Amino acid sequence: MTSAPAMPALYLGHGAPPLLDDRLWSAQLASWAQDLPRPTAILIVSAHWESAPVSLSASSAPLVYDFGGFDPKYYRMTYETPDATALATRITAMMPAGEPVHQHRSRGLDHGAWVPLKLMYPGADIPVLQMSMPNHDPATLLRLGERLRPLRDEGVLIIGSGFLTHGLPYLRELRIDADPPGWSREFDAWAGEALARGDLDELAAYRDRAPGMPYAHPTVEHYSPLFVTLGAAADAATPARQVIDGFWMGLSKRSLQVS
C-alpha cells in the first residue's frame, strides 16, 4: 500500500435502498465524504454479512441485492469499483496465523456497503473490499478493529455499516419522516451519551443496560459493526465525533467518526 494521509474510521447507518432518494440523508453522507481525505481504498464491514472465519469479498463479483419489495430500479443498480486485491493481500497478512481469512470469490458488495458508498463516492473510482463479521461479541470485534487499525495510516477508510436502532418488526409507520418510537429514542439517547463519554464498557453491555432493548435490536447485527469501528480508533475510549443524528422511518441514523 502506498503512503497517504491517515484516515479516520466511521460507523454509519446505511438504510434500505430508498435512502438513495432521500435528499437530506443523501446530502449528509455526501458532505461527510467530501470533508474527509481521499482514501486509497475502503474496507467496509456491513450488518448483512456474518461469516466465520473472517471473509473478504471479490472485486469482480456482482452486487448482492439482499432486499425485497422495492422499486425494480434498485435491482438494476451497479457499483463497479477498481480491483482491491492489494488490500485483500494486506489484510490477510495482518491476521494471526490461527485466524485464517477466507477469500470469497463469488460474493460482491451487499446493500449495507454499496448503498451508502454510491452516495459518498459516486464515482466508484476507489477500490472497495467488504469484510464479514465473524460473530457479535463486542470484545472480538474490538480486537478485529485493532488489527485493522494500521490500514488507516495507509489511507484506507474503515467503515462499520449498520443502524443504531433497527427494530423493524416493531415499527407502526413506514414513512421516512415517521415519529420514532420510544424505544428508538431511548436507545439512541443512551448510545449518544455513552459515545460522548467514550464509555466502551457501557456500549458493550447494551443487552443489559440499554433502554429500549430488545425492541431497538431484536437481532443485533446492525449494532455490532460499531465495535469494529471503535476498535480501529487510535484510542477506543476517546469520545467519537457524532456527525449525523436524527431518525429515518423512526430508526436512529446516528453516525460517527473516530480518529
Side-chain angles (χ1 to χ4, degrees), residues 155-229:
V156 178
L157 179 62
I158 298 173
I159 301 176
S161 176
F163 228 137
L164 196 64
T165 61
H166 199 253
L168 292 179
Y170 307 111
L171 295 180
R172 295 295 177 259
E173 294 184 79
L174 300 181
R175 294 182 292 106
I176 287 176
D177 60 349
D179 289 335
W183 49 260
S184 188
R185 285 189 181 277
E186 292 168 2
F187 188 99
D188 172 69
W190 167 86
E193 292 169 3
L195 287 163
R197 299 193 305 269
D199 193 338
L200 282 178
D201 290 339
E202 181 77 359
L203 292 164
Y206 65 99
R207 295 180 189 267
D208 300 320
R209 299 184 188 174
M213 286 296 288
Y215 302 100
H217 290 285
T219 57
V220 301
E221 69 278 0
H222 281 77
Y223 184 71
S224 295
L226 172 66
F227 295 103
V228 178
T229 299

Side-chain angles (χ1 to χ4, degrees), residues 195-198 235-241 257-258:
L195 287 163
R197 299 193 305 269
D235 180 357
T238 297
R241 177 189 167 210
Q257 174 175 325
V258 298

